[in-house]
Amino acid sequence: MAIILVWACYSRAFARWSVTEPVAMIVAGAAVGLTDDEWLLPSIDTTAALRIVEFLLALFLFTDATEIRDRIAKNTGVTRMLVAFAVSLVIATVAGKYVLSVDSWPLLLILACIVMPTDLVPAQSILRDNRITKRVRDTLNVESGLNDGLVAPVMLFALEAYRRSTDSDEVLGAFGHALQAVVKSVLVGLPIGAAAGLALSAAAARGWTDPRTVRCGILAIPVLTFALAIQIDGNGFVAAFLAGLAYRATHRDIPGEPLELTEGLAQFLGLGLWFVVGAIAVAIPGLDWQVVVYGLLALTVFRIVPAALALIGSRFTVPERILLCCLGPRGVASIVFGLLAVNSLAGTSDANLVVGATLVVVCGSIVLHGIGAPLVAAQFGRRARNSRTR
């Protein structure tokens, strides 16, 4: 908490040196981790820690879903990038068999669900950089919000399949269990999100409430859907994501900054999560070279090749396609899915594999995308200026 307080005082000064939130908190976590002989991972292998991590993902998925407007219909890039994401999951699953020498397909699917979802937090400057065209920024923003929510049921199925044997009956059982949890999440998330959007909009329009209270009410939506979904053996973060979609579809103009409190809480909890990553990174034993190669492939080839193929024939220019292919940062979703997997795989050697892959893609993304994104944007801006002067 002291480190977060210091960061709050000097965040803008650090930003001038391209020191982002993830970088600062990972370095701080690593520094603290070096002074402690205890490995942090066992302390988060508890039911309470699992619920906290799930709730954090629920907050992020809810806020991501509320930012998805009608841009999907207008911007064909989103649909193409989601197709590319699905192909990336398949490639990461198949390639893992050979790169990591792993034969368990549920474990391979778990790893793919961890290393492939994108998150713009490590490269937030992308969304504010006017040198990158608006349709590219919109596509990356919406893609990031959607692929986290869409991969959640797949992750749920993979974890359940891992718990069972890999014969056909057990696979069908795992699929049925995951499907049942998703159906329960739908029955909780969509009605609550839709009702909340209508009720809050009507109350704001009639002057029955004020912006401060509305912010509290919106924060209650993901909390309520998460709690109810867990209570009926559904999936809390899937329910929160669906509630965000339903809220966005039904709400009208609400004065003030209605999502400010929810986004602030998500950001605060996210800072703690990056700190945990730094502490774990310095405590984990040396990584196998196969894990490092797999993580680097996930950040590059597994993302770039499907995206490049999916964008063939699109309205995007060649420089825009390069941006969409290369700018695929990994962040909170990968960390949360990784921690969920570690909790489910506790006591097995596969848990170390999951931790290693998560650390490689997250830390690698901070270096590759956190530093590389501004450089790519600068190059894109120079090309745009040169084309206008010709």
Side-chain angles (χ1 to χ4, degrees), residues 61-285:
L61 290 178
F62 177 81
T63 55
D64 285 344
T66 56
E67 295 176 357
I68 300 170
R69 299 183 176 88
D70 56 350
R71 288 180 289 186
I72 296 178
K74 294 180 180 179
N75 196 333
T76 57
V78 174
T79 304
R80 290 173 179 269
M81 293 305 293
L82 289 179
V83 172
F85 174 70
V87 175
S88 296
L89 281 179
V90 175
I91 293 175
T93 303
V94 175
K97 176 180 175 62
Y98 303 99
V99 177
L100 300 173
S101 300
V102 172
D103 293 325
S104 171
W105 70 262
L107 177 59
L108 291 171
L109 185 56
I110 289 171
L111 290 170
C113 291
I114 292 171
V115 301
M116 292 316 303
T118 59
D119 178 15
L120 293 181
V121 172
Q124 284 184 332
S125 61
I126 297 173
L127 297 180
R128 301 186 296 268
D129 199 324
N130 293 326
R131 293 172 297 185
I132 300 176
T133 57
K134 186 176 184 300
R135 62 178 178 178
V136 170
R137 285 181 280 139
D138 284 347
T139 299
L140 290 171
N141 193 24
V142 177
E143 179 208 357
S144 174
L146 277 176
N147 65 24
D148 295 348
L150 294 177
V151 81
V154 181
M155 183 69 174
L156 179 65
F157 163 68
L159 289 174
E160 184 64 26
Y162 184 89
R163 295 188 189 102
R164 302 166 181 251
S165 64
T166 55
D167 62 70
S168 58
D169 292 338
E170 290 297 328
V171 171
L172 291 176
F175 178 77
H177 182 273
L179 181 61
Q180 187 179 42
V182 171
V183 170
K184 291 178 179 179
S185 301
V186 171
L187 295 177
V188 170
L190 291 181
I192 292 177
L198 293 172
L200 289 172
S201 298
R206 290 167 173 76
W208 295 345
T209 185
D210 61 78
R212 182 179 59 181
T213 309
V214 168
R215 287 194 287 269
C216 294
I218 292 178
L219 176 59
I221 300 173
V223 177
L224 179 60
T225 52
F226 178 85
L228 288 179
I230 294 297
Q231 188 68 27
I232 62 174
D233 295 325
N235 189 274
F237 45 82
V238 174
F241 178 73
L242 295 173
L245 291 176
Y247 168 79
R248 169 55 66 183
T250 57
H251 96 294
R252 298 295 180 266
D253 291 335
I254 297 178
E257 297 290 338
L259 289 169
E260 184 178 29
L261 181 59
T262 305
E263 292 174 343
L265 179 58
Q267 181 184 20
F268 177 78
L269 294 176
L271 289 174
L273 193 62
W274 289 108
F275 180 88
V276 170
V277 170
I280 293 176
V282 297
I284 191 173

Side-chain angles (χ1 to χ4, degrees), residues 290-302 360-361 364-365 368:
Q290 294 98 325
V291 177
V292 176
V293 170
Y294 180 76
L296 294 178
L297 287 173
L299 291 172
T300 54
V301 177
F302 297 167
V360 170
V361 296
S365 180
L368 184 63

Side-chain angles (χ1 to χ4, degrees), residues 129-133 317-320 322-323 326-327 371-388 390:
D129 199 324
N130 293 326
R131 293 172 297 185
I132 300 176
T133 57
T317 64
V318 173
E320 287 176 330
I322 294 175
L323 285 172
C326 296
L327 298 180
I371 298 176
L375 299 178
V376 173
Q379 182 65 25
F380 185 85
R382 283 193 293 270
R383 288 190 177 186
R385 288 193 298 270
N386 292 336
S387 62
R388 286 194 296 267
R390 288 174 183 173

